[in-house]
Amino acid sequence: MEFSSKLIEKAVNEMSQLPGIGKRTALRLVLHLLKQPKEQTGFLSQALLNMREDIKFCENCHNISDTKICEICANQVRNHQTICVVEDIRDVMAIENTGQYKGIYHVLGGKISPIEGVGPSQLNIPTLVEKVKSGTVVEIIFALSSTMEGDTTNFYIYKQIAGSEIVISTIARGISVGDELEYADEVTLGRSILHRVPFEKTFRNN
């Protein structure tokens, strides 16, 4: 792709680093910004800088937040005895959009994947185990995607907390194997949470 301006070329190259954005889409976005008032581009740039510099991770659940404790964990109306274990913030948003879950979350920050070099020590698993050992948790709900990595992560955590006096469940398989939660429709995801099943059944029947 030939550019008549090095400034445009650099902007396109940076924009195309975003996931799902190819060079043509990046060019279209850059040219759109070029047509907007300078203040608009300034607002966008400042918003991105503020986000990058000021964003925090909840000290309780590791969800992204504007404060030390996220709004969900700070909400005393939520059921703090039930914890839904998810991969990242996108899953929290997907489940929240269903309006069916009233507990709190624990964001792992990824899934165990030896191929990608991601091991248990690189995830937020120890803090989840600590919560279980504290005796304040009644139920853990696994809500990771139905992939080999997701199942491996579920089983690893299960082994870490096995023997504790809590209910360990997983969302029903209304979500197709291999699908990510963020792409599931709200009705299907909501039903999967409401009709969750004991985790032990998912591997004893295999």
Side-chain angles (χ1 to χ4, degrees):
M1 185 178 290
E2 296 294 328
F3 296 92
S4 59
S5 165
K6 292 295 183 183
L7 295 174
I8 291 291
E9 182 177 4
K10 184 175 180 179
V12 168
N13 287 338
E14 291 300 323
M15 190 77 75
S16 64
Q17 299 301 311
L18 297 173
I21 304 295
K23 285 290 182 68
R24 292 185 182 279
T25 301
L27 177 59
R28 187 161 60 249
L29 292 173
V30 167
L31 293 179
H32 171 76
L33 289 173
L34 193 60
K35 294 178 182 178
Q36 304 305 305
K38 286 185 178 180
E39 314 86 73
Q40 191 64 44
T41 305
F43 294 150
L44 173 60
S45 300
Q46 193 59 52
L48 292 173
L49 285 173
N50 290 343
M51 175 196 69
R52 195 66 186 88
E53 293 177 2
D54 299 332
I55 202 73
K56 298 176 177 61
F57 290 94
C58 177
E59 295 179 353
N60 184 54
C61 72
H62 307 288
N63 189 13
I64 58 174
S65 174
D66 294 340
T67 54
K68 290 184 178 181
I69 301 297
C70 71
E71 292 183 358
I72 295 175
C73 287
N75 187 346
Q76 295 304 310
V77 177
R78 309 280 300 218
N79 179 3
H80 286 248
Q81 294 182 314
T82 301
I83 298 178
C84 185
V85 180
V86 297
E87 180 182 351
D88 61 30
I89 174 59
R90 294 171 297 179
D91 300 327
V92 173
M93 296 172 67
I95 294 173
E96 283 297 286
N97 285 338
T98 70
Q100 300 295 324
Y101 179 67
K102 304 304 179 184
I104 59 175
Y105 298 89
H106 187 90
V107 181
L108 295 176
K111 294 174 291 191
I112 295 174
S113 177
I115 294 178
E116 297 180 5
V118 179
S121 62
Q122 294 167 276
L123 304 178
N124 298 319
I125 294 177
T127 48
L128 176 61
V129 175
E130 288 176 11
K131 290 176 185 177
V132 173
K133 290 182 177 179
S134 71
T136 59
V137 180
V138 172
E139 181 181 8
I140 292 289
I141 305 170
F142 291 134
L144 302 185
S145 56
S146 302
T147 60
M148 182 178 295
E149 293 80 8
D151 291 342
T152 298
T153 307
N154 285 341
F155 189 71
Y156 178 86
I157 296 173
Y158 170 78
K159 296 297 288 184
Q160 296 298 305
I161 61 179
S164 56
E165 298 294 326
I166 65 170
V167 175
I168 304 175
S169 60
T170 184
I171 58 175
R173 295 295 189 177
I175 310 300
S176 301
V177 174
D179 281 356
E180 300 290 345
L181 294 191
E182 63 176 307
Y183 299 122
D185 67 89
E186 294 175 7
V187 174
T188 300
L189 182 54
R191 287 175 178 169
S192 294
I193 294 169
L194 290 177
H195 301 293
R196 55 188 180 272
V197 298
F199 179 66
E200 292 90 340
K201 288 186 178 181
T202 65
F203 59 84
R204 285 178 181 171
N205 294 333
N206 291 338

